[in-house]
Amino acid sequence: DDDPDAVDKIKCVEFRFWQHQQKISGELKEGLCQTLILLTIHDEKMKSFVDNMVEEVLKEFTLQRYLSNRRIFMLLAEASPNSVLNFIENDLKNGSTLLNELFIIRKNSIRIGGTNIYYAELLFALEEMAWDANYLLRCVMILLKLCEYPNDSNWGNNPINSLCHILSFILPQTYATDDQREAVLRTAVKKVPKSGCTLILKLFQDLSGGVLRYTAHDRWRMYNRRHDSKNFPPIHPDRVVNVCRI
């Protein structure tokens, strides 16, 4: 269910009226995605079925289809995190056809800030999946790769800020333990030295003057742990020293 004008809309720099041409409502799509999520939560046997379904859907995700359905991208990530991570990683490995277009900062004369971004839903999906320690490393490595895109906009939604919130000393937006987060940082610096070191420096800067915020969270998965994300854990001096050594 593509919007035939989706690509033209992001390239348009002036005010213009557009006709809605999609046949399926956003509410119906959201409801179908939530059904898939609940199937995986309540019946382990359905997991492979949902994974295969989401994987098939993502195979057809061109720029036009992503833009037409980006509002449900977080729900697809919640239904099948592994499929969505594979989709993003494959795009990175194969020339970043989709990501190259999404991370262009689009000029827009009618916006107060003068620019538009179209990658926010992808960042939210990565933030959402990063709550699970099983997916944290993959999410961090993807975000570090995304930090390589030039970004001179004044939007707060950008890969480096997502990383800082996820791995924050003060209010980490992941259920991974201190040791798991430290291991992820070690791997990040080893595999992507420049972006990894930039991340660590910014984490230390945020200790004294950073902005804390809650990141996107699953709607249904790990629902019983949502209250944990509101707590401010104590900062252990040993952990700060260990990160310095990295």
Side-chain angles (χ1 to χ4, degrees):
D1 182 39
D2 293 346
D3 177 1
D5 298 322
V7 178
D8 291 335
K9 286 177 180 177
I10 69 171
K11 294 180 179 179
C12 183
V13 297
E14 298 176 348
F15 180 77
R16 179 178 170 182
F17 289 102
W18 299 90
Q19 182 179 359
H20 182 76
Q21 301 188 59
Q22 291 181 266
K23 298 178 181 179
I24 303 175
S25 72
E27 288 76 13
L28 179 56
K29 292 178 185 178
E30 183 176 332
L32 290 171
C33 288
Q34 291 197 54
T35 300
L36 293 177
I37 295 167
L38 293 173
L39 282 174
T40 62
I41 292 173
H42 295 292
D43 189 349
E44 185 66 25
K45 296 177 181 177
M46 295 298 295
K47 185 178 182 300
S48 60
F49 168 77
V50 173
D51 285 344
N52 291 335
M53 179 175 287
V54 173
E55 189 174 330
E56 287 299 316
V57 168
L58 292 174
K59 282 181 180 178
E60 307 297 326
F61 254 51
T62 59
L63 176 63
Q64 183 183 47
R65 181 151 298 178
Y66 175 86
L67 293 170
S68 302
N69 299 281
R70 58 196 171 110
R71 306 298 181 191
I72 63 168
F73 195 71
M74 279 182 62
L75 293 173
L76 291 175
E78 185 172 355
S80 180
N82 196 55
S83 298
V84 171
L85 287 169
N86 286 340
F87 168 71
I88 300 171
E89 288 167 345
N90 287 336
D91 191 65
L92 285 167
K93 291 175 183 176
N94 295 291
S96 303
T97 306
L98 174 64
L99 295 173
N100 286 344
E101 289 291 335
L102 291 183
F103 278 83
I104 295 174
I105 308 300
R106 309 278 177 175
K107 303 297 181 183
N108 191 307
S109 59
I110 63 172
R111 282 277 185 179
I112 295 176
T115 58
N116 270 343
I117 57 172
Y118 294 92
Y119 56 75
E121 290 80 8
L122 186 138
L123 291 187
F124 294 154
L126 289 167
E127 291 174 357
E128 171 188 64
M129 291 183 285
W131 281 101
D132 191 330
N134 294 317
Y135 304 116
L136 178 59
L137 177 59
R138 294 174 71 184
C139 291
V140 167
M141 295 308 298
I142 290 171
L143 285 165
L144 285 172
K145 287 290 185 182
L146 299 181
C147 287
E148 296 174 4
Y149 285 102
N151 192 332
D152 59 353
S153 73
N154 55 359
W155 289 89
N157 291 329
N158 58 57
I160 190 64
N161 282 345
S162 292
L163 283 165
C164 287
H165 294 310
I166 291 169
L167 297 170
S168 167
F169 284 109
I170 302 173
L171 187 65
Q173 298 296 285
T174 176
Y175 295 126
T177 64
D178 287 352
D179 289 341
Q180 288 172 323
R181 296 198 303 275
E182 184 181 322
V184 165
L185 282 172
R186 288 185 184 279
T187 303
V189 170
K190 184 177 180 180
K191 292 189 174 182
V192 193
K194 183 177 179 180
S195 297
C197 289
T198 299
L199 168 60
I200 288 179
L201 288 173
K202 197 163 190 317
L203 287 173
F204 282 116
Q205 291 171 358
D206 287 351
L207 273 174
S208 59
V211 175
L212 301 177
R213 74 167 175 86
Y214 298 117
T215 60
H217 195 287
D218 290 326
R219 186 173 299 188
W220 298 105
R221 285 178 185 268
M222 298 183 288
Y223 182 83
N224 59 335
R225 296 195 63 184
R226 294 191 80 161
H227 67 281
D228 296 343
S229 65
K230 310 295 183 183
N231 298 329
F232 285 73
I235 301 176
H236 299 291
D238 288 346
R239 180 172 177 251
V240 176
V241 172
N242 289 341
V243 175
C244 280
R245 288 172 177 164
I246 293 175

